[in-house]
Structures are given as C-alpha cells and as structure tokens.
Amino acid sequence: MGLVAPLGESKKKGSARIEPLVALVLADMERVNALILSKAGSDVAMIPEVANHLISSGGKRLRPMLTLAAARMSGHHDDGHVKLAASVEFMHTATLLHDDVVDESELRRGKLAARMLWGNQASVLVGDFLLGQAFRMMVEVGSFDALDVLSAAATIIAEGEVMQLSAAKNMATTEDDYLAVIGAKTAALFAAAAEVGPIIAGRGRAERTAFRAYGDNLGLAFQLIDDALDYGGSSADLGKQVGDDFREGKITLPVILAYRRGSELERAFWQRALEKGEIVDGDLDRAIGYLRTHNAIEDTIERARQFGDLSRDALGIFPDSAYKAALLEVVDFCIERAY
Amino acid sequence: MGLVAPLGESKKKGSARIEPLVALVLADMERVNALILSKAGSDVAMIPEVANHLISSGGKRLRPMLTLAAARMSGHHDDGHVKLAASVEFMHTATLLHDDVVDESELRRGKLAARMLWGNQASVLVGDFLLGQAFRMMVEVGSFDALDVLSAAATIIAEGEVMQLSAAKNMATTEDDYLAVIGAKTAALFAAAAEVGPIIAGRGRAERTAFRAYGDNLGLAFQLIDDALDYGGSSADLGKQVGDDFREGKITLPVILAYRRGSELERAFWQRALEKGEIVDGDLDRAIGYLRTHNAIEDTIERARQFGDLSRDALGIFPDSAYKAALLEVVDFCIERAY
C-alpha cells in the first residue's frame, strides 16, 4: 500500500507494531492498571460496576502508555508518571462514557455500551466521577505544569465534542473544520499524554514541544484512520458498528472528500442522508460506493500517513533508544489498523 | 414558626437575610461575574450560548459568595479568591447541566432547561467544558491545598449523584442513606467553597475545619429545605415544578418520614407511585396530604434548623465581624426560604 516499512518489518502486521511499546512499559503498566481499578472503586456499588464494564473491555490503553514511555525516555525514575498515566486513561474513559450518551451508541469496544445496561444517567455521572478522580490523582503528583497541560486538555476535548455536535448534519463542513474538531476531541489528549512525560521528568521546553508534537500528530492520524474504518472494517474489529458515523450524521473526512468530488445527484444524496437524517435501506452501501468511486477512504488514509510522518519527525531531536523506536513504531500501528 | 431571630430582625423576610453578605462581597462578586462570563466564552458558539442561558438565569451565586466571604474574613487580600469563587460556581453550573439530563428536567430556575433548547448532548458536553475551565482556574491560583479540596469535592458530588440514582424508586431508603446522599451531592461543594477561603488566606487547620463545618452543615440545611419546598411552595418561587422529586421517584426526607409513619394503605400508595412509578391524576395532592398528616414537611424543616444551628456554632471560634454576622444570617436565609 505504499507504506515505507523499516527493514525486516514489512510483514509485521499492524496490530503487532504496538508490541515493543507494550513490552517496554509492562511493569509500569501493571501499576497503572492496579491504580485504575483501585481509583474506580467506591462504596457506591454502581460506580465500580459501570466503570469496570468499560475499563475491563479491552481497550489498548495507548494514551497512558504514551505517558509512561515519554516519562521513561525523558529519564523519569520516580512514580508520578504512573498516576499521570492513570489520570490520562480516566479522562479518556470519562469521555467515552459521555460520548456514548451524546452519540446514542449501542456498542463500545464490541460490548453493549454502559448506557444500554445502566442508563444514560449512570454514564453521565460515572464519567463525572472518573474525571474527578483523574484530577485528584494529578493533584497528588504535585506538578503544576502537568496539571496545567491536562486541565487545558479537558477543556479542549469538551470544546471539540461541542464543535463536532455543531458541525453534525452540516454538509458545509470543510476539511479545516474537521481537522479542528479531531485536533480538539482526540489529538489534544494524545498531545497532553505525551507532554506530561518530559514535564514530570523535569525536562525543558524543547523536549516538551517535541513530545507534544509527536502526540498531537499521532492523535490526528489515529482519528483519521478511525473515521476511515467507520466506512470499512467489520464491527468485530472496530468494537463498534460500521456506519455509526453515517447514521449519526457525523461529517468526517471521507464524506467531506466524496461530497466535494461528487455529482449534483450525489450531493443531494449526502444532504438527504446526513443533513436531513432520512436514511433508507441500502443507503450505507450506496455511501460506501461513492466513497470508493472518489477514492475518499484511500485519501483519508493518505492524510493520516502525512500526520504520521510529522509525528515521527517530532522525535527526531532525541538520540536512538528502545523507547524512541517503540514510539516510532506506534505511529505505524495507528495507521496500519486501516489494512 | 419557632425560629429564634436576632433582635430587630424578626420581621425581616427570609430572602432579605442574604443581603448583608451580598453587600459585603459586592465588589469581589463583580469580578467573579466578569470572570464567569469570560471563561464561559469559546470560539465554538454553542458553548457560550448554552452556558450563558443558565449563568444568566438569576442563580443567587451563594456558593462563590461563601468563598469570597470566607477568604476576606480570613484576611486574604490578593485575588486568588476571585478565581476560586468562579471555579466553585462553574462546578455548580456543570452539575446543574448534568443533573437536568439525569433527571430529565424541563425547567431550571424558572426557565426551560438548557437540554430542552439545545438537547441533552449539549448539556453533557458544555457541563464538561465548564468543569474543565473550573480546574484550569484553580490551577492558575497555584494552591495545592485548594486544588485538593475542590477536586475531592468534584468526585464526592458525582458519587452523591450516583448514590441518589441507586436510591431512587427504593422505599427502603433510610434517613441515614438520605443524609449520605445530600451530604455528598450538595453539602460537599458548600463545605469546599467555604474551606478554600481560609486556605487561600494561608490560615491553619482550626480555621479550615471551622469553615468546612460551617459550609457542610449549611449545605445540609439548604438541601433539606429544597426537598421540603419540592412538596410546598410554587413553581415561580422554586424555579422548578412542585412535585418534580415525586415524579422522578426521588426518595427525600419528607417521603421517608411519611412512609415510616403511615398506614399499610399509605405505604402501598408510596410504593406504587415512587417504586413502580405508576402515577395517576391526583397522586401528588394525595402525597402532599399524607405529608401533612404526618407532619413530614415540618419535621424536615426542623432537621434543617438543627443543621443550621451546627453551621452557626462552627463559626463560634471567630471574633465578631461584619463578615461573620453576614455568614450567620445566611443560615437563616437558607432555612427561611421554607416560609
């Protein structure tokens, strides 16, 4: 598919390319996982039930791994990075719980979404609880710079979600609008997760900026691939249903490209289906057909590759190390999910 | 009604008894209000629209006033208390937005709830945004103790809301269960709002504990009166509809008392209406009738008075001052709302 793979890696499957990172942070990650379970605990029984349903559902925990690796690569030897990594995962989990309510999702990571089992109310409130616990852990770590970066991310993520809500069902959404949405709703947490690594290790501006750029561009690539997969892949691979974005009227890059490249007839189709929400049997297949005609999925993946290149380049200032190699390979992992 | 009023104050109406506090913090509160408007701003137009709908709806801003007064009374002369007060109000506003979604409320402060105008999605996400902004302001202030107290409150509030959700529609709920719920969902923020005053002023443990106890007991009294008003007062006074708690199956103290004091027939009524949610015309009047028969509203108000006494006593360690007098009078304000 035109990907330039490192020598000897060409046959490694996409999913294997996260393994070096997993292996490097294994011991730290066990402590993160124990902390996550403990901090999701509460005397109010419904809280650990709802939280653990999602926590135990097999997410990759990519974001906290970024924090751990960035901290270790920056020479951190204390244990603040474990709490920061758990905070990052809680921020992500809280976002997922709230997203499911906002999107009226039925599935999450291949399981029934928490809201289908415990109701929207529990998803909203347990999300709030986890966000509160995330901040408490950050406060315990005692770094104002880390608090600053992560609390800013919390605001930006919410801003991105509202932006997405405002852009939904609006075919006038441009590629720039779309990049602003995914930059806020997804890349901001990747960027913060990576940046707190050098922060907790006491590193300076150059290292912080480098890790931040790595996370930011990785997050953009990750979300672009997610949005491409929403019109490809299978429900089992994704942990959600193909066509969710289509049914919810989300205007993602594949659609933006196909709409702009399409005929008047095609544009009328997108407007009916996504703006008016009038979807009939066969419409998802018709949409996927138009995306193929106009190379919209392939070009979305190509954009992801470009951000992946920026992400890799951001780590260029660091000397070679096992951590650096693992973080570079995670870029491939994020992109090759699309194959 | 048996309230012991200060000399010369016996004819002052409940609503007037917040005025000394309002007057004392007027200048600070103008800065808080400006900060609230500014921090509710965003390039994403829907955020200030939704936030300002609630922010401009005439809440009393009691909680931030507690922070301002506690800080000033503790000798604080810098401006960190303004940011902390705005944070406290944002935490409260975020909770209201999420509560409306959880309770499926149609009204809030006498206006249509934000979710009725912009949808549940916007209420969830704008709540998240305001919570993020609250944390950013706290971080700017630079006090780990204040961050610790407020982030703990955020977690406890969410825990209280989940507790309330679990207890809903369950007539086995005891008075202790109920006090645990309102202690977490309401009193925790009152307590934190008051405690960060002496914290930002650099005061010690004794002053912190005193203000915390003042806020905690005030919050309990406040919520007890709120729950009494839900079966009394009028929609215009409350800014919500009488009987909301009844329709939502919330088990509040008036109901707990009437249920325990009632006949088998009455208990069957409460079970049908609140546990099964089978409500027919006339049921709210019937419920209010039972509450009157068993003196349940009056005794709920009596409990509020007792917590009010504890709240007043907590400030006993401080010398007399205009701030202290104003904070003592706020206790009466919270309780006399019921008349």
Side-chain angles (χ1 to χ4, degrees):
Chain A
M1 286 282 200
L3 259 184
V4 180
L7 279 175
E9 299 281 346
S10 57
K11 281 182 190 150
K12 207 173 190 179
K13 278 214 178 152
S15 63
R17 307 196 72 167
I18 198 174
E19 282 168 16
L21 178 63
V22 170
L24 278 171
V25 300
L26 194 63
D28 279 347
M29 202 60 206
E30 276 175 17
R31 295 167 64 205
V32 171
N33 289 336
L35 190 59
I36 283 174
L37 278 179
S38 137
K39 296 291 180 179
S42 164
D43 291 338
V44 185
M46 194 191 272
I47 291 177
E49 280 173 26
V50 174
N52 291 336
H53 173 77
L54 183 51
I55 288 169
S56 68
S57 66
K60 295 170 298 297
R61 305 208 173 154
L62 179 55
R63 294 161 189 80
M65 286 199 290
L66 295 183
T67 299
L68 296 174
R72 290 292 191 186
M73 184 169 146
S74 303
H76 180 66
H77 290 296
D78 211 333
D79 63 359
H81 66 316
V82 169
K83 284 183 182 168
L84 290 178
S87 296
V88 164
E89 184 66 8
F90 269 13
M91 285 175 66
H92 177 53
T93 310
T95 306
L96 295 184
L97 284 167
H98 287 185
D99 268 6
D100 285 342
V101 173
V102 168
D103 295 344
E104 301 176 346
S105 310
E106 293 174 6
L107 292 180
R108 168 68 68 185
R109 292 176 180 161
K111 293 169 71 171
L112 275 179
R115 70 177 204 94
M116 301 298 288
L117 295 166
W118 290 277
N120 280 339
Q121 288 106 324
S123 290
V124 171
L125 297 175
V126 175
D128 290 350
F129 174 82
L130 294 178
L131 204 55
Q133 290 290 69
F135 277 106
R136 291 184 77 175
M137 284 191 277
M138 287 173 218
V139 171
E140 281 175 24
V141 172
S143 157
F144 273 114
D145 281 349
L147 271 166
D148 188 32
V149 164
L150 287 167
S151 61
T155 299
I156 294 167
I157 291 166
E159 227 166 0
E161 300 278 353
V162 178
M163 235 189 285
Q164 175 171 271
L165 192 62
S166 308
K169 305 183 195 306
N170 178 6
M171 290 306 311
T173 305
T174 65
E175 179 164 351
D176 279 351
D177 296 332
Y178 167 82
L179 286 174
V181 168
I182 69 170
K185 77 164 189 168
T186 307
L189 188 55
F190 276 77
E195 188 180 359
V196 295
I199 286 176
I200 189 80
R203 296 284 164 175
R205 184 56 56 181
E207 284 94 336
R208 285 180 55 167
T209 309
F211 273 110
R212 179 162 195 89
Y214 166 79
D216 186 39
N217 287 293
L218 181 66
L220 291 171
F222 183 90
Q223 187 62 54
L224 280 157
I225 296 298
D226 232 44
D227 292 342
L229 283 169
D230 205 88
Y231 287 98
S234 73
S235 185
D237 296 335
L238 270 177
K240 58 180 186 174
Q241 295 156 296
V242 169
D244 272 348
D245 291 347
F246 183 71
R247 280 182 290 270
E248 291 161 16
K250 274 189 195 161
I251 314 297
T252 58
L253 188 58
V255 169
I256 292 170
L257 295 177
Y259 180 76
R260 277 165 167 59
R261 294 169 183 178
S263 64
E264 282 300 314
L265 186 82
E266 288 176 37
R267 279 202 276 273
F269 163 77
W270 291 112
Q271 284 161 359
R272 167 175 65 74
L274 296 182
E275 291 195 335
K276 296 189 187 154
E278 294 168 5
I279 296 180
V280 298
D281 277 357
D283 273 355
L284 179 59
D285 287 338
R286 190 169 161 195
I288 291 172
Y290 290 150
L291 296 176
R292 286 202 183 123
T293 305
H294 298 294
N295 229 26
I297 299 290
E298 215 16 77
D299 285 353
T300 296
I301 296 168
E302 179 55 30
R303 294 279 199 289
R305 275 193 212 106
Q306 291 161 358
F307 287 112
D309 288 342
L310 293 175
S311 180
R312 269 186 290 262
D313 283 339
L315 296 185
I317 64 165
F318 298 109
D320 287 343
S321 71
Y323 280 108
K324 179 175 169 178
L327 288 174
L328 291 175
E329 205 161 341
V330 162
V331 179
D332 299 311
F333 164 77
C334 288
I335 293 168
E336 292 177 20
R337 294 187 304 146
Y339 297 95
Chain B
M1 286 282 200
L3 259 184
V4 180
L7 278 175
E9 298 280 344
S10 57
K11 283 183 188 149
K12 209 172 189 179
K13 279 209 176 154
S15 62
R17 308 194 71 165
I18 198 173
E19 282 167 18
L21 178 64
V22 170
L24 280 171
V25 300
L26 194 65
D28 278 347
M29 202 60 205
E30 275 176 18
R31 295 166 65 204
V32 171
N33 289 335
L35 191 59
I36 283 174
L37 278 178
S38 137
K39 296 291 180 180
S42 165
D43 291 339
V44 185
M46 194 192 273
I47 290 177
E49 279 172 28
V50 175
N52 291 336
H53 173 76
L54 183 51
I55 288 169
S56 69
S57 66
K60 294 171 297 298
R61 306 210 171 152
L62 178 55
R63 295 160 189 79
M65 286 199 290
L66 295 183
T67 301
L68 296 175
R72 290 294 192 184
M73 185 169 146
S74 304
H76 181 66
H77 290 296
D78 211 334
D79 62 359
H81 65 318
V82 170
K83 283 183 183 167
L84 290 178
S87 296
V88 163
E89 185 65 9
F90 270 12
M91 285 175 67
H92 177 54
T93 310
T95 306
L96 294 184
L97 284 167
H98 287 185
D99 268 6
D100 286 342
V101 173
V102 168
D103 295 343
E104 300 177 346
S105 311
E106 292 175 8
L107 292 180
R108 168 68 68 184
R109 293 178 181 161
K111 292 169 71 172
L112 275 179
R115 70 178 203 93
M116 300 298 288
L117 295 167
W118 290 277
N120 279 340
Q121 289 106 325
S123 290
V124 171
L125 298 175
V126 174
D128 290 349
F129 174 81
L130 294 178
L131 204 55
Q133 290 290 68
F135 279 105
R136 292 185 76 176
M137 283 190 278
M138 288 173 218
V139 171
E140 281 174 25
V141 171
S143 156
F144 273 116
D145 281 348
L147 271 165
D148 187 31
V149 164
L150 287 168
S151 61
T155 299
I156 293 166
I157 292 165
E159 229 168 356
E161 300 278 353
V162 178
M163 234 189 282
Q164 175 171 270
L165 192 62
S166 308
K169 304 184 197 302
N170 178 7
M171 289 307 311
T173 305
T174 64
E175 179 164 352
D176 279 351
D177 296 333
Y178 167 80
L179 286 174
V181 168
I182 70 170
K185 77 165 188 168
T186 306
L189 187 56
F190 276 76
E195 188 180 0
V196 295
I199 286 176
I200 190 81
R203 296 284 163 175
R205 182 56 56 182
E207 284 92 337
R208 284 181 56 169
T209 309
F211 273 110
R212 179 161 195 89
Y214 166 80
D216 186 37
N217 287 294
L218 181 67
L220 291 171
F222 182 90
Q223 188 62 54
L224 279 157
I225 296 298
D226 232 44
D227 292 343
L229 283 170
D230 205 87
Y231 287 98
S234 73
S235 185
D237 297 334
L238 272 177
K240 58 179 187 174
Q241 294 156 294
V242 170
D244 272 347
D245 291 347
F246 184 71
R247 280 181 290 270
E248 290 160 17
K250 274 190 196 159
I251 314 296
T252 58
L253 188 58
V255 169
I256 292 170
L257 295 177
Y259 180 76
R260 277 164 167 58
R261 295 170 183 177
S263 64
E264 282 299 316
L265 185 82
E266 288 175 37
R267 279 202 275 274
F269 163 77
W270 291 113
Q271 284 162 358
R272 167 175 66 74
L274 295 182
E275 289 195 337
K276 295 190 187 152
E278 292 168 6
I279 296 179
V280 298
D281 278 356
D283 273 354
L284 178 59
D285 287 338
R286 190 170 163 193
I288 292 173
Y290 290 149
L291 296 176
R292 286 202 184 124
T293 304
H294 299 294
N295 229 27
I297 299 290
E298 215 17 74
D299 285 352
T300 297
I301 296 170
E302 180 54 32
R303 294 279 201 289
R305 275 193 212 106
Q306 292 160 358
F307 287 113
D309 288 342
L310 294 175
S311 180
R312 267 186 290 262
D313 283 339
L315 295 186
I317 64 164
F318 299 109
D320 286 342
S321 71
Y323 280 108
K324 180 175 167 180
L327 288 174
L328 291 175
E329 207 161 341
V330 162
V331 179
D332 299 311
F333 163 77
C334 286
I335 293 168
E336 293 177 19
R337 295 187 304 147
Y339 298 97

